[in-house]
Amino acid sequence: MTETAGSLFIISAPSGAGKTSLVRALLQSGLSLSLSISHTTRPPRSQEVNGRDYHFVSMDIFQTMLSNGEFLESAEVYGNLYGTSQKWINEAVLAGQDIVLEIDCQGAHQVQQIFPRAVAIFVLPPSVEALETRLRMRGQDNAEVIQKRLSAAREEVTHIREFDYVIVNNDLDEALGDLLCIIKAERLRRERQLLKYRSLMAQLS
Ligand code: 5GP
């Protein structure tokens, strides 16, 4: 299944670039979008809710799902496994929904192989200092993990050419505005418009 009536929006970013806040704001913006909830072997953080933020599963369950081909894509990120449910994506695609995938660069690459028309968006922090400050402010990682995340961020940025759009998240409202522009432009693509307005086109032709 490589053609979709709706669009697939892949959003990737180094950890601390503010991607999660941006996606949350996007979902509250009023645009009709479906967010894919990933499966992960990572333990939940204090505010996270199973089924809302992730489907938190054991390593055994994840491995079984993986060998049963239940993931559209999967990757190891910071020592934990993450995967996107193939079944959920198939259902959302069939329903013609616009789908948001908040996944890392490895996953983005795998999805682009299957859905070449997926729109891939990379979110950058405004500076390395801002990234480091955000990682510290989250109070979620120790100094060693923060250093690991910073070097992982440098590695992730090397994949930026695989993305269609780049948003610099200096100010959340501005970044959200940029993201909305991308999504709205995608919805105005000829193929989608001709599908949506086929009776108008039939009258006019
Ligand atoms: P976190 O554990 O901080 O929520 O996420 C760590 C990284 O894993 C982030 O870059 C996030 O986008 C990525 N991630 C979350 N879910 C998935 C997924 O289903 N597949 C892939 N490939 N990456 C994911």
Side-chain angles (χ1 to χ4, degrees):
M1 193 187 302
T2 54
E3 286 296 324
T4 59
S7 303
L8 251 99
F9 297 97
I10 302 170
I11 306 184
S12 296
S15 150
K19 175 181 47 148
T20 305
S21 313
L22 186 57
V23 170
R24 196 176 301 135
L26 173 66
L27 296 175
Q28 289 167 356
S29 69
L31 285 192
S32 166
L33 293 160
S34 299
L35 176 69
S36 163
I37 310 292
S38 301
H39 286 70
T40 183
T41 60
R42 169 170 77 60
R45 297 181 183 128
S46 58
Q47 304 298 317
E48 287 179 328
V49 175
N50 189 31
R52 183 194 68 187
D53 299 289
Y54 281 104
H55 299 292
F56 295 99
V57 293
S58 66
M59 183 62 94
D60 275 357
I61 290 182
F62 194 98
Q63 293 292 2
T64 306
M65 292 179 74
L66 192 59
S67 47
N68 289 344
E70 290 183 42
F71 293 125
L72 170 72
E73 63 73 35
S74 64
E76 183 179 331
V77 188
Y78 309 124
N80 298 302
L81 298 177
Y82 296 83
T84 300
S85 163
Q86 174 84 64
K87 182 168 176 277
W88 187 89
I89 293 288
N90 286 351
E91 286 169 3
V93 163
L94 281 176
Q97 290 165 1
D98 278 343
I99 301 167
V100 177
L101 297 174
E102 194 187 333
I103 59 179
D104 86 321
C105 294
Q106 306 168 71
H109 185 71
Q110 294 171 49
V111 173
Q112 285 174 308
Q113 302 302 307
I114 304 164
F115 295 102
R117 298 175 74 166
V119 180
I121 303 157
F122 196 88
V123 181
L124 280 175
S127 66
V128 177
E129 292 74 28
L131 184 64
E132 197 166 349
T133 306
R134 283 180 194 169
L135 288 171
R136 285 190 207 292
M137 298 285 281
R138 291 205 307 201
Q140 179 181 287
D141 303 309
N142 61 35
E144 192 192 331
V145 175
I146 288 177
Q147 284 316 310
K148 272 195 195 158
R149 288 190 187 268
L150 286 173
S151 60
R154 289 199 168 85
E155 201 285 320
E156 280 178 72
V157 170
T158 64
H159 295 277
I160 206 157
R161 288 180 184 281
E162 295 161 26
F163 288 77
D164 302 300
Y165 295 96
V166 175
I167 293 177
V168 177
N169 186 12
N170 188 23
D171 172 85
L172 184 63
D173 288 339
E174 252 179 60
L176 176 62
D178 290 345
L179 190 51
L180 292 174
C181 280
I182 296 168
I183 293 171
K184 287 179 181 169
E186 196 59 27
R187 287 180 172 179
L188 294 173
R189 275 191 180 278
R190 185 188 62 236
E191 313 86 73
R192 277 191 73 158
Q193 291 289 71
L194 291 186
L195 207 61
K196 185 172 172 188
Y197 294 106
R198 45 183 183 275
S199 61
L200 170 66
M201 289 308 297
Q203 287 167 32
L204 288 171
S205 51

